[in-house]
Amino acid sequence: MSQKEHGTTAVPVQENLRYGVSRKLADKICSFNRVFAEMGGYFEGSTSFEKDVRNLVASTGEPVTFYDSVSGKPLFKAPVGRSVDEFIAESKIHGWPSFRDREVVWSNVRVLRSSGETVSLDGTHLGHNLPDQNGNRYCINLVSIAGNPESS
């Protein structure tokens, strides 16, 4: 990713990110990083990730949309083709929210062939593709997908 006005992104992360994530950590991971990640299991600690995801799926019957913490563009929708319990369980096993190919919004996400790094089209570092026996698995930093939808 090329250098931009704010690291690899044009602007800092949004204010008031979802799930109670740290804005300072989000800005560091999203815009000034190509390799590192939030600590494994971060989403299980002081965030509302699991509760919010379960509540949204239960109340709407639809997958949850996860938005870029910088641009607000949709990046992932989950769970798709599996239950919320399966999505949460897989995420807990691996330590980061874990998405499959059907859950990626490909119009806004790219995977770099050389490293497996997963990024948004706006330059936000999201995480990495770590394939397993079930196919591509995108281990994504919660701080990178805690944005609010972009304004129309």
Side-chain angles (χ1 to χ4, degrees):
M1 301 299 302
S2 60
Q3 191 69 17
K4 297 187 175 101
E5 295 83 3
H6 189 76
T8 59
T9 60
V11 297
V13 296
Q14 299 173 352
E15 300 284 341
N16 303 312
L17 294 170
R18 293 177 170 197
Y19 314 114
V21 303
S22 162
R23 185 172 187 264
K24 181 178 178 182
L25 179 62
D27 201 46
K28 178 180 173 184
I29 296 293
C30 292
S31 302
F32 295 97
N33 167 55
R34 306 300 335 145
V35 178
F36 300 106
E38 65 201 19
M39 295 294 292
Y42 172 80
F43 75 93
E44 293 184 80
S46 61
T47 75
S48 61
F49 171 78
E50 182 175 355
K51 182 181 119 212
D52 290 354
V53 168
R54 288 185 183 283
N55 287 343
L56 280 166
V57 171
S59 67
T60 66
E62 298 290 329
V64 175
T65 301
F66 297 90
Y67 298 93
D68 189 321
S69 291
V70 175
S71 71
K73 292 179 181 171
L75 301 174
F76 299 93
K77 290 185 178 190
V80 173
R82 57 183 171 164
S83 71
V84 70
D85 289 334
E86 291 167 326
F87 170 64
I88 297 292
E90 181 174 47
S91 297
K92 286 182 176 182
I93 288 169
H94 299 293
W96 288 269
S98 295
F99 300 91
R100 297 295 176 165
D101 284 330
R102 292 190 293 178
E103 297 169 323
V104 180
V105 179
W106 289 111
S107 57
N108 296 324
V109 175
R110 295 294 179 267
V111 179
L112 306 182
R113 287 186 188 163
S114 61
S115 63
E117 181 185 5
T118 305
V119 297
S120 77
L121 290 186
D122 293 303
T124 305
H125 172 78
L126 303 175
H128 286 84
N129 178 23
L130 303 170
D132 62 13
Q133 68 277 8
N134 296 316
N136 290 320
R137 179 174 48 84
Y138 306 94
C139 286
I140 303 299
N141 295 292
L142 180 60
V143 297
S144 300
I145 56 169
N148 294 289
E150 63 185 336
S151 302
S152 308

